[in-house]
Amino acid sequence: MSTAEFYPGADGLGSETLTDGHAHVSFSEIFADALRGIPCSVRGVYAEEELLPVHSWLRPADRADRAVLSHCEGATMDVGCGPGRMSAHLHERGHAVLAVDIVREAVEQARRRGVPALRRNVFDPMPGEGHWDTVLLADGNIGIGGQPGALLRRCAELLGPGGRLVVDLDRPGTGLKTHEARLVSEGRRTSIFPWAQVGADAVEPLARKAGLQVDRLREHHGRWFAVLTP
């Protein structure tokens, strides 16, 4: 699967003015501006338009982050790393880590935190395929592309013997939901891109179809996450 198929609009460089007055720009452009501090919201995932929690991604890992990261073992690939706070925490604690994102600004910010980072789609060839101890899908990144089953299968291919996926989840009762989402910022918006939510109640059958099992399912002050193993 190509980047364009999994992240529609991610690599487009041009823009156009739509009939509602919004300029139509690429996902990468708006997301990069959000990481630089320009307010950006997501439309189509929640009942109402919500601001991206960029402030949370730019700070150091907090206690809830560390609860998730405590389940990462050995060499870890952080898929959809954003500005790299999770990777930076692992790196500081001696893990071999590779941060991966499709947005150049995210990769550059992760590198400024001292983290090895790569601009690439996880469905493209990756370094160390079949040898990673942990693949991390934090901050709802199991929803990337709106096809969590396909994403879990791909991440499982990256693991070595005894490897694990550490995955952030939505709260129980969410189930499995797919959405047509947009990012919106200062009179500009992206094209629609697919996204998914996976609740703690939906991860087991989804994992099973991907050839995985739920080894652990945890909650830390309202944050749910799971450890999946082949």
Side-chain angles (χ1 to χ4, degrees):
M1 184 177 291
S2 70
T3 299
E5 288 173 312
F6 212 64
Y7 298 86
D11 294 324
L13 299 178
S15 65
E16 57 179 324
T17 301
L18 305 178
T19 55
D20 62 2
H22 284 73
H24 193 172
V25 299
S26 74
F27 175 94
S28 291
E29 184 175 343
I30 289 187
F31 192 79
D33 282 348
L35 294 179
R36 298 184 188 109
I38 297 175
C40 175
S41 59
V42 60
R43 180 182 297 171
V45 174
Y46 307 103
E48 298 182 358
E49 190 171 306
E50 290 199 8
L51 282 173
L52 286 182
V54 176
H55 64 285
S56 297
W57 303 336
L58 295 175
R59 56 159 172 72
D62 64 13
R63 284 195 301 173
D65 294 332
R66 294 194 295 271
V68 175
L69 293 172
S70 68
H71 295 276
C72 294
E73 297 182 350
T76 299
M77 181 183 291
D78 180 4
V79 175
C81 65
R85 82 183 188 286
M86 305 289 263
S87 291
H89 180 83
L90 292 172
H91 184 68
E92 289 165 4
R93 277 146 187 78
H95 287 255
V97 62
L98 178 64
V100 178
D101 206 289
I102 63 163
V103 178
R104 187 183 304 279
E105 178 66 21
V107 170
E108 291 176 353
Q109 289 193 22
R111 288 173 178 168
R112 288 198 290 272
R113 293 185 184 214
V115 176
L118 179 67
R119 185 180 180 224
R120 193 170 298 178
N121 182 332
V122 68
F123 277 86
D124 291 336
M126 300 295 290
E129 292 205 23
H131 296 283
W132 291 93
D133 299 308
T134 302
V135 172
L136 174 65
L137 291 169
D139 299 325
N141 282 335
I142 191 173
I144 288 172
Q147 301 176 48
L151 181 58
L152 290 180
R153 285 191 295 274
R154 172 57 179 149
C155 289
E157 292 173 351
L158 301 172
L159 296 175
R164 56 179 49 199
L165 273 61
V166 178
V167 181
D168 261 328
L169 301 167
D170 277 272
R171 66 183 183 277
T174 302
L176 172 59
K177 297 178 180 178
T178 57
H179 306 279
E180 293 184 340
R182 294 183 190 271
L183 298 185
V184 181
S185 176
E186 295 192 339
R188 302 172 303 154
R189 70 184 188 189
T190 65
S191 60
I192 289 172
F193 59 91
W195 194 260
Q197 291 175 283
V198 179
D201 55 317
V203 68
E204 186 171 3
L206 190 65
R208 188 167 56 248
K209 289 179 181 178
L212 299 162
Q213 63 182 356
V214 179
D215 186 70
R216 298 175 194 174
L217 184 62
R218 295 284 188 269
E219 182 268 341
H220 181 85
H221 294 287
R223 181 173 184 167
W224 287 84
F225 59 95
V227 177
L228 311 180
T229 55

